[in-house]
Amino acid sequence: MPEGDSVHRAAARLHAALAGRVLTRSDLRVPRFATADLTGRTTLDVTPRGKHLLARFEGGLTLHSHLRMDGAWHVFPAGAPWHGGPVFEIRAVLGTAEHTAVGYRLPVLELIRTAEEDRVVGHLGPDLLGPDWDPDRAAENLLAAPDRPLGEALLDQRNLAGIGNIYKSELCFLAQVTPWTPVGALPDPPATLPRLASAARRLLAANIGDRPGGGHRNTTGIRRRGQELFVYGRAHRPCLRCGTPVREAAQDDRPTYWCPRCQSGPTP
């Protein structure tokens, strides 16, 4: 389930493989851009923006992709066999003399002018892992709709970019409120929301580094299988803090988890 940290790692892999190198192969397998050819262009950089990936090429072109639930980019040595899914799921192939990047199941793939990137990412709030990060601005965005449930507000990329369903549940647990708690009902929202936003940044940043367990999402600090997350995916299992069985319900059609003892507030 790609979230901001996953997208950041994907961008780093793609940048390391492609940036500064000339494309020797270009194949965009979506009808609108099937005839586009990037061969001969140098990749300038690959940059993450929230959950979006922006691969920029000389000549003022950007390949914009979004992984959503199932998409993935894989990088292989040139000439090595590809793996990541069946051939019919491949949506993009970008090759250099050294590496080949293959995009599988990409629900969003479009070639745009670099000068028009704002059209696809300009609506995003501060990027949790980006240079524009600003916890106070993120808090202001969240508080702009005080009656909105916190879980929904955290997932809205217009408020802050990078949080997915896993971090939503984990952050609500850390805030000790249910995901259905209105943003304005938090204790002292002007003080609480910047701290919550900063906690979100720390969690994502902690899960992008090359360290033991790096690449495997962990919010608890426990390096024991099955105890990496406080509540997400732990329905009917004991809460790691108090032992009460964790509960699960849908919020905006997404599975959502909380501890009925550690977290106060409304529930379905």
Side-chain angles (χ1 to χ4, degrees), residues 121-264:
V121 295
H123 65 288
L124 298 175
D127 188 338
L128 283 153
L129 295 174
D132 68 324
W133 174 243
D134 183 341
D136 293 324
R137 183 179 155 217
E140 290 175 5
N141 292 344
L142 290 167
L143 197 53
D147 295 331
R148 192 175 191 186
L150 178 61
E152 292 182 13
L154 288 172
L155 284 180
D156 190 336
Q157 303 299 295
R158 296 170 296 182
N159 291 330
L160 65 172
I163 291 177
N165 203 41
I166 295 176
Y167 284 118
K168 175 198 82 172
S169 292
E170 295 295 287
L171 285 165
C172 288
F173 177 84
L174 292 174
Q176 299 182 324
V177 296
T178 68
W180 293 269
T181 302
V183 171
L186 292 171
D188 191 9
T192 298
L193 288 170
R195 290 199 299 267
L196 185 62
S198 295
R201 177 181 171 85
R202 288 195 300 273
L203 286 181
L204 266 69
N207 281 282
I208 62 173
D210 293 326
R211 63 188 68 188
H216 302 282
R217 195 167 286 123
N218 187 306
T219 61
T220 65
I222 302 173
R223 302 296 179 184
R224 189 176 302 134
R225 186 175 179 83
Q227 296 187 10
E228 299 93 343
L229 303 173
F230 283 111
V231 290
Y232 188 87
R234 293 184 57 82
H236 311 301
R237 296 168 62 191
C239 169
L240 294 181
R241 182 173 289 168
C242 73
T244 301
V246 170
R247 297 188 63 186
E248 175 189 1
Q251 183 179 42
D252 197 22
D253 296 325
R254 300 179 185 224
T256 300
Y257 304 84
W258 77 100
C259 171
R261 182 173 181 180
C262 293
Q263 295 171 255
S264 62

Side-chain angles (χ1 to χ4, degrees), residues 94-114:
L94 301 173
T96 70
E98 297 84 10
H99 297 94
T100 304
V102 184
Y104 289 86
R105 301 173 298 280
L106 301 175
V108 175
L109 185 71
E110 57 180 339
L111 191 62
I112 62 175
R113 297 208 171 274
T114 302

